[in-house]
Amino acid sequence: NAGVTQTPKFRILKIGQSMTLQCTQDMNHNYMYWYRQDPGMGLKLIYYSVGAGITDKGEVPNGYNVSRSTTEDFPLRLELAAPSQTSVYFCASSSNWGADSNQPQHFGDGTRLSIL
Amino acid sequence: KNEVEQSPQNLTAQEGEFITINCSYSVGISALHWLQQHPGGGIVSLFMLSSGKKKHGRLIATINIQEKHSSLHITASHPRDSAVYICAVKETSGSRLTFGEGTQLTVNP
């Protein structure tokens, strides 16, 4: 059972380049999330999705886009990379996350991204 | 002021010591999570609790909803416990997690 798989693990981009961070989960979870983790800071939610075809902004969505065409995949797109987007990115999923439900989130291993 | 505050930020212990990491929050919550992040970067969910106490092996998590406070205890600590421990809360008003900044624990042999 692979859980949540993120690719790539590391990437260096030049300013202005674009790239897609891939995330896939094999647990049939409806809820998926993208977080960024900056040094000395707590994880911040970028975007999340409650099911295929539905996405919503988190705390720090600027400079990013997402799509959710299938239950399994939730890619994160950086269109014009900026140094401020240098961070570690984590994808996570959970089976349910409504107001009346508490399920643990399962995290990927992270993607370390540097923008130079 | 962060909605979720952890203390201490850094903790160094000798193998075998009893360790306590604290988490205070300022919002109404439906659940609190303790997560572990190893040096390799992966994040693992340790506990999710909304009241009382949970135990798993040498790890114990407690929560006091009235005082808006939770603690994570590690008994008989071991160098392999060295990691960042993260507290996160799920607010009653929303569907998101709010994370603390983490506590870096180092256990020396």
Side-chain angles (χ1 to χ4, degrees):
Chain A
N1 190 343
V4 179
T5 302
Q6 289 183 236
T7 57
K9 293 192 185 306
F10 305 95
R11 184 73 184 268
I12 298 174
L13 284 181
K14 294 182 180 178
I15 295 171
Q17 285 186 319
S18 62
M19 79 162 292
T20 299
L21 281 66
Q22 301 292 345
C23 176
T24 187
Q25 52 91 10
D26 61 0
M27 297 171 282
N28 203 32
H29 285 169
N30 285 327
Y31 288 70
M32 296 188 75
Y33 316 82
W34 273 106
Y35 299 96
R36 60 178 286 171
Q37 185 181 39
D38 299 316
M41 307 283 287
L43 282 85
K44 300 291 185 186
L45 182 65
I46 305 170
Y47 270 95
Y48 67 103
S49 168
V50 302
I54 306 169
T55 62
D56 208 347
K57 295 179 179 178
E59 300 172 75
V60 290
N62 292 342
Y64 306 94
N65 279 300
V66 293
S67 60
R68 186 91 184 273
S69 57
T70 66
T71 299
E72 295 78 19
D73 301 307
F74 190 40
L76 178 72
R77 178 95 179 149
L78 283 71
E79 291 293 351
L80 287 171
S84 62
Q85 293 176 305
T86 294
S87 189
V88 181
Y89 292 84
F90 287 94
C91 179
S93 73
S94 64
S95 60
N96 202 348
W97 202 240
D100 298 325
S101 174
N102 291 304
Q103 295 293 327
Q105 292 190 9
H106 299 258
F107 287 81
D109 289 337
T111 295
R112 190 174 296 274
L113 182 62
S114 295
I115 316 294
L116 304 176
Chain B
K1 188 181 190 305
N2 291 336
E3 292 175 336
V4 180
E5 297 273 355
Q6 288 185 235
S7 63
Q9 287 186 320
N10 294 282
L11 180 57
T12 301
Q14 288 300 122
E15 184 173 357
E17 285 185 1
F18 180 84
I19 288 162
T20 296
I21 299 170
N22 296 300
C23 176
S24 297
Y25 52 92
S26 58
V27 295
I29 71 168
S30 60
L32 183 143
H33 294 245
W34 281 103
L35 307 161
Q36 181 190 56
Q37 184 173 23
H38 273 287
I43 298 174
V44 176
S45 179
L46 296 174
F47 294 104
M48 182 176 64
L49 63 166
S50 53
S51 65
K53 173 174 143 177
K54 286 191 176 179
K55 184 176 187 295
H56 181 71
R58 294 180 295 105
L59 301 177
I60 303 166
T62 64
I63 188 168
N64 185 318
I65 295 293
Q66 287 73 30
E67 294 185 4
K68 292 191 163 78
H69 180 268
S70 175
S71 293
L72 176 68
H73 305 286
I74 305 175
T75 61
S77 60
H78 190 277
R80 65 174 175 267
D81 297 326
S82 298
V84 176
Y85 292 85
I86 302 169
C87 171
V89 300
K90 180 167 176 278
E91 298 180 31
T92 49
S93 60
S95 58
R96 306 172 185 178
L97 282 178
T98 302
F99 293 82
E101 294 178 3
T103 295
Q104 172 70 62
L105 171 65
T106 303
V107 182
N108 295 317

